[in-house]
Structures are given as structure tokens and as C-alpha cells.
Amino acid sequence: MSTYKPKPIDISSTELTEELNELREAIAENAHDIWAESRIAEGWTFGPNRNDEKKETPCLVPYSQLPEGEKEYDREMAIKTIKLLKVLGYDIIKREETPLYKELLKRIRHANEAYFCPECLSKGIKTPLYRHQVFCDRCGHKLDLKWEE
């Protein structure tokens, strides 16, 4: 029997700015992609239900397609990591607004808007697009969505 008793650093009084909340979403999405990449390398595939014997999981989908409950796990880890950095005395400073950062803001602001792949639509197929996508998941078409600022 293990006697291990986790004692994480108290971060409960740490508040984050809106900018750091946006960073949280970027870290959460990236963490999911790292997890998914690792699972795929281990032989896991998408399946409608988790099945450890068959190595299937319904979570092998883009982050934006995850149920909110699954996203919350990644968000929670991200927010706790950012808060830990602050409690340890680190400053997180964004030096410039890179194209990737600008795209992230667009995706966050338009997360609930419905878009369809124009290439698929031209063939009569409504393939929903999500805020993170650069390519269509169905046909691979490079997307050029005009997100409003």
C-alpha cells in the first residue's frame, strides 16, 4: 500500500488576466495534441467508446471536437501550470503578437460559429469546421477562413 500523499503548491489565491486565460486555451489545445500524438504512436485509434484492449478512444479528435468535460481536464492542467509559474515568481510576458497568436484570438472569439468546408460543400457535403483548423479533416482542403477581428 502506498503512503504517498500529494501536496501541490497552493495556487488558489492567484488571479489571471484575460490575456493569460487566452494562453490557457492555447496550452490546453496543445496538450491535447501532444496526448493524441502519443496515443497514436502507441497504436491507439479513434473508437466510439474507450476500449483499452483494442486501444480505441473517442478522444482522438481535434480539441475543438472534444466534449466540454474532456476540454476541462486540459484547461485545468494549463491554468494550474500558469498559476504555479506566477506563484513561483515568474512573469509571463508576451513580447509580440505573432501570426499564430492572432489566429488563436480569432479561434477563441469565434469558437461557437458554424463554418463548413467550401470544397466539401461544392460536392454537397456539409463538413463542419472548427476554430482551430487549417485543413479540412474530411478532404484535406487548405482552408482560408476570414475570421473577423
Side-chain angles (χ1 to χ4, degrees):
M1 178 171 209
S2 174
T3 59
Y4 169 63
K5 294 184 182 182
K7 294 181 183 180
I9 295 171
D10 181 14
I11 56 172
S12 60
S13 64
T14 306
E15 298 292 324
L16 297 183
T17 63
E18 185 58 33
E19 198 170 74
L20 290 179
N21 279 320
E22 291 167 351
L23 176 61
R24 173 206 65 190
E25 197 66 11
I27 292 172
E29 184 172 340
N30 196 61
H32 172 70
D33 284 349
I34 290 169
W35 171 86
E37 186 178 63
S38 173
R39 287 292 180 270
I40 291 168
E42 294 169 356
W44 285 74
T45 59
F46 173 83
N49 299 302
R50 183 177 170 113
N51 183 321
D52 291 349
E53 289 179 17
K54 293 182 180 179
K55 290 189 172 183
E56 292 179 344
T57 176
C59 294
L60 276 180
V61 295
Y63 178 78
S64 63
Q65 294 176 26
L66 287 173
E68 281 301 310
E70 293 294 330
K71 287 181 185 178
E72 276 306 309
Y73 175 81
D74 293 320
R75 287 178 181 144
E76 199 60 28
M77 291 305 295
I79 200 104
K80 287 179 178 179
T81 300
I82 294 168
K83 285 183 174 186
L84 176 63
L85 289 169
K86 289 187 62 88
V87 167
L88 292 175
Y90 288 88
D91 286 323
I92 301 171
I93 301 168
K94 180 175 51 101
R95 302 258 182 236
E96 62 180 295
E97 290 197 2
T98 64
L100 183 59
Y101 175 78
K102 289 176 185 175
E103 182 63 27
L104 170 68
L105 283 183
K106 290 176 193 175
R107 292 185 341 222
I108 290 170
R109 291 178 181 153
H110 299 281
N112 297 322
E113 293 184 12
Y115 291 94
F116 297 99
C117 172
E119 185 70 21
C120 290
L121 270 179
S122 71
K123 298 172 185 165
I125 303 168
K126 283 189 173 182
T127 304
L129 300 176
Y130 299 90
R131 60 187 169 83
H132 74 286
Q133 288 181 266
V134 176
F135 297 94
C136 173
D137 288 336
R138 179 184 295 265
C139 72
H141 176 74
K142 183 167 179 14
L143 305 168
D144 187 25
L145 295 176
K146 302 295 183 203
W147 301 98
E148 295 175 23
E149 291 295 332

